[in-house]
Amino acid sequence: MITPVVRCSFVYIASPRVITRKDKKTGAMKDVESYEVTALVSKHDSVAYAALMQEVNAAIQAGTPKILPEGAAKLSQFRNPLRDGDAYAEEGVVLGKDRSSFRGNWFFTAKTLGRCPGIVDRFGRFMEPDGIYPGCYVRLDIRFAAYNNESIGVTAYLNNVMFVRDGERLGGGAAPAPTAFAQYIENAPDAVTMPQHEAAYGSEDGSSDLPF
């Protein structure tokens, strides 16, 4: 599915995580690069939530009974990919971790192993992986699928990412250069100052066809 517009939280695209897993053919343990995006979905966006849950339920039905047992979604050990951000934030308080950006949201993590997802801007032009950062807004091309190994549930596989617009960076880190030097930037003669991604990927006349 192509998701509604969501906001990125944790992002491992330019620098994927390295995880250790068992090779299905040989049984040997090996390191694999995991490209991941954790997406925030506002609890006020009931349409987006309903669309995502429809795909999750379809994955449950497709995986029953071959992968999942009957009534799997009602089992305590079942892992739903859509999680409650408020509960996650409260858990962070107990652990001494700042997860305040998750409040008021649902969230899920989509990942792919061993392959960087395709990344385009809103005009369909390819982007570098570091253009996707915590806080920006994107659409994701994902696929939900059931699993049953050490645990049971539904996971989200990440295929492609479309950058939609910039947002306030989450979790600290360095700000984009135009933001860092905002109070010192001067307008060049006959030039128009544009936002970070507009300057890199906008149309020739600086206009935007984005419907918002």
Side-chain angles (χ1 to χ4, degrees):
M1 73 173 292
I2 305 299
T3 70
V5 176
V6 296
R7 192 179 190 190
C8 291
S9 179
F10 301 127
V11 176
Y12 298 95
I13 299 294
S15 299
R17 293 198 307 131
V18 177
I19 62 175
T20 302
R21 57 179 295 162
K22 182 181 294 185
D23 187 287
K24 293 182 179 179
K25 295 182 179 179
T26 66
M29 303 302 291
K30 66 177 184 179
D31 291 340
V32 181
E33 291 184 330
S34 180
Y35 297 84
E36 306 176 10
V37 173
T38 296
L40 304 178
V41 182
S42 173
K43 288 188 174 181
H44 295 295
D45 193 345
S46 58
V47 175
Y49 178 77
L52 290 163
M53 278 306 303
Q54 181 177 346
E55 295 296 320
V56 171
N57 290 329
I60 294 173
Q61 293 177 7
T64 307
K66 184 176 181 180
I67 301 175
L68 300 175
E70 293 288 348
K74 297 181 180 180
L75 299 177
S76 59
Q77 66 266 38
F78 180 82
R79 295 186 178 182
N80 189 320
L82 280 175
R83 299 175 57 189
D84 187 339
D86 289 305
Y88 186 66
E90 286 302 315
E91 180 185 87
V93 172
V94 175
L95 297 174
K97 298 181 179 181
D98 182 11
R99 298 174 178 173
S100 56
S101 62
F102 285 80
R103 293 190 184 279
N105 295 287
W106 300 101
F107 72 97
F108 66 92
T109 298
K111 66 180 68 175
T112 184
L113 301 180
R115 178 191 68 85
C116 183
I119 305 170
V120 297
D121 65 12
R122 60 179 181 259
F123 303 106
R125 292 173 290 199
F126 286 105
M127 289 178 57
E128 294 298 322
D130 59 4
I132 306 301
Y133 61 91
C136 74
Y137 292 83
V138 300
R139 292 184 188 274
L140 302 176
D141 172 14
I142 62 174
R143 177 176 65 87
F144 288 110
Y147 66 89
N148 187 343
N149 39 52
E150 289 85 0
S151 58
I152 63 173
V154 171
T155 191
Y157 292 101
L158 178 62
N159 298 318
N160 300 292
V161 181
M162 172 181 275
F163 173 87
V164 176
R165 66 179 184 271
D166 284 307
E168 182 180 353
R169 186 175 289 268
L170 300 176
T179 302
F181 295 109
Q183 62 178 314
Y184 302 105
I185 290 177
E186 301 177 9
N187 288 333
D190 301 321
V192 178
T193 301
M194 294 185 290
Q196 177 189 9
H197 285 283
E198 287 290 332
Y201 303 105
S203 57
E204 292 183 357
D205 60 2
S207 62
S208 169
D209 61 357
L210 194 66
F212 49 77

